[in-house]
Amino acid sequence: MVAVLAALASAFCFALGAALQHREALVVPSAHVADVRLLWKLCHRPWWLAGTVADLGSMSLHILALSLGTLALVQPLGVTGLVFAIPLAAVLRRQRIRRLDILAAVGVVGGLIALLKSLPSNASAGVPSVWSVVWMVAGVLAAVTALTFGAHLAPGRPRALLLAGAAGTAFGLTAVLVRTLLISVRQPASGPVVIAVSVAIALLGPYGYLLLQGAYRAGHFAASIAATTVLNPLVAVVAGGLLLHERLPTGPGHLSVIGGAVLVICGGVALLVRSPAILSLAPVEEHPTQEDGARPHVVEMAGARADSE
C-alpha cells in the first residue's frame, strides 16, 4: 500500500512539474533538438525552477516506491500523471474540465486497478551481471538516439512525440536501474554492478530530462506527456523482466484481464490527450537568427484548433 501511495504522489508531482515547465520551455529560444544550453536558459526562469522542485519530489517518491514494490506494480501508476495533469492544466489556464475528461479519467483509474490486481506484487528480484547492465543500457541508448535523430528531422507534433518517446524510454530504463541499485547495494560482492548502474543512471536520467524539455518546447503538451507516461512503464516492465527476472503473469486468465485493462487505459488516455484543458499553447515559431535574449512569439490556441489537437 505504501508503494502504491508513493507512486501516486510521485505521478502527481510529475504532472505538476510538467504543467509548470511546459509553459516556460515554450518561450525559451533554442534552435536545436536536445540542446544542453536549453537547460541553462530555463534555469533562469522561476516557474521552471518550481517545476524542477516538483520533479525532485517526484523522483524521491518514485525511489521510495521502487524500494517497496516491483516495477510491474509501481511503473503503471505513472499513467495517473496524465489524469492529474488535466485539473492542474485547467487551473493554470483557467478552463473548465469537461464531463468527458472526468469519465476518461475514471476509465484510466479503473483500468489501472484491474491491471494492478493482475500483476505480481512480490518484491523479490535477482541481481544482474555487469555485462547484462551494459548491454541493456547500450540497447536503450541506441533506441533513444534513433528517436532523437528522428525528432531532429521532424516538425511540430511528430517532433514532440519522438522526443517524449525518447524521454519515456530513458526514464523507463532509469527506473529499472534505480531498482537494480537498491537491490544490489544490499548484496555482497556487487561493487562492479553498483558502479555500472550508477554511471548509467547519471547518463540516462539527465539526458531523458533534457529530451522531455525539448518535447515541451515543441508545443504539444498533451502528446508529449501521453507518450512519456505510456512508454515509461512499458519499457520498465519489459526491461525489469529481462534484467532483474521479475516474475510476470503468464496464465491466459491473467493475460486476458491485463489485455482488457490496457485497452481501457489506452482509450482513456486517447480521450484525455484531446482535452482542451490539457492542450497547450501553439508551438514556438523557430527564428534561427534570433538573439538568445529575445522572446519567441507564442500564440494561444483557439478553441476550434484545440479540439483538433
Side-chain angles (χ1 to χ4, degrees):
M1 178 60 72
V2 177
V4 171
L5 292 176
L8 289 173
S10 173
F12 174 82
C13 290
F14 173 78
L16 177 60
L20 292 173
Q21 289 179 337
H22 170 257
R23 201 176 189 98
E24 297 303 306
L26 278 173
V27 296
V28 172
S30 178
H32 304 287
V33 172
D35 189 352
V36 177
R37 292 173 297 179
L38 175 62
L39 290 180
W40 172 250
K41 295 170 184 176
L42 288 170
C43 284
H44 294 80
R45 306 189 71 85
W47 284 114
W48 187 87
L49 291 175
T52 302
V53 172
D55 281 338
L56 290 174
S58 174
M59 285 186 281
S60 300
L61 290 164
H62 196 65
I63 291 172
L64 173 62
L66 288 172
S67 68
L68 299 172
T70 64
L71 289 159
L73 175 69
V74 172
Q75 291 304 113
L77 290 169
V79 178
T80 57
L82 185 60
V83 177
F84 293 134
I86 295 293
L88 288 173
V91 169
L92 290 175
R93 299 185 62 194
R94 299 179 181 178
Q95 292 182 337
R96 295 182 61 183
I97 301 175
R98 302 180 305 173
R99 292 181 181 177
L100 183 60
D101 298 335
I102 298 175
L103 292 175
V106 170
V108 170
V109 173
L112 278 172
I113 292 173
L115 177 63
L116 294 177
K117 285 184 174 295
S118 301
L119 293 174
S121 58
N122 184 6
S124 63
V127 178
S129 66
V130 173
W131 284 111
S132 297
V133 173
V134 170
W135 283 113
M136 180 66 70
V137 171
V140 169
L141 274 177
V144 170
T145 301
L147 290 170
T148 305
F149 180 75
H152 182 74
L153 304 176
R157 188 188 298 185
R159 171 178 289 190
L161 284 170
L162 288 169
L163 286 174
T169 301
F171 290 154
L173 183 59
T174 300
V176 176
L177 294 174
V178 168
R179 178 150 171 77
T180 303
L181 184 62
L182 293 171
I183 294 171
S184 299
V185 294
R186 304 170 188 169
Q187 305 297 325
S190 60
V193 175
V194 170
I195 294 173
V197 169
S198 299
V199 172
I201 292 172
L203 290 174
L204 276 173
Y207 188 37
Y209 202 65
L210 172 62
L211 293 172
L212 186 59
Q213 302 309 310
Y216 291 159
R217 191 177 179 279
H220 299 274
F221 181 51
S224 298
I225 196 170
T228 301
T229 55
V230 169
L231 266 179
N232 185 330
L234 289 177
V235 171
V237 170
V238 173
L242 294 173
L243 194 63
L244 298 177
H245 306 292
E246 288 194 344
R247 183 173 59 87
L248 296 176
T250 55
H254 282 89
L255 291 178
S256 298
V257 174
I258 289 173
V262 169
L263 288 177
V264 172
I265 293 170
C266 290
V269 168
L271 290 173
L272 287 175
V273 297
R274 297 179 64 84
S275 168
I278 201 173
L279 292 172
S280 68
L281 301 175
V284 176
E285 297 178 2
E286 300 287 354
H287 299 289
T289 59
Q290 187 178 32
E291 296 181 0
D292 285 350
R295 181 183 179 94
H297 179 59
V298 181
V299 182
E300 191 74 51
M301 290 176 120
R305 183 175 177 181
D307 290 335
S308 65
E309 174 78 354

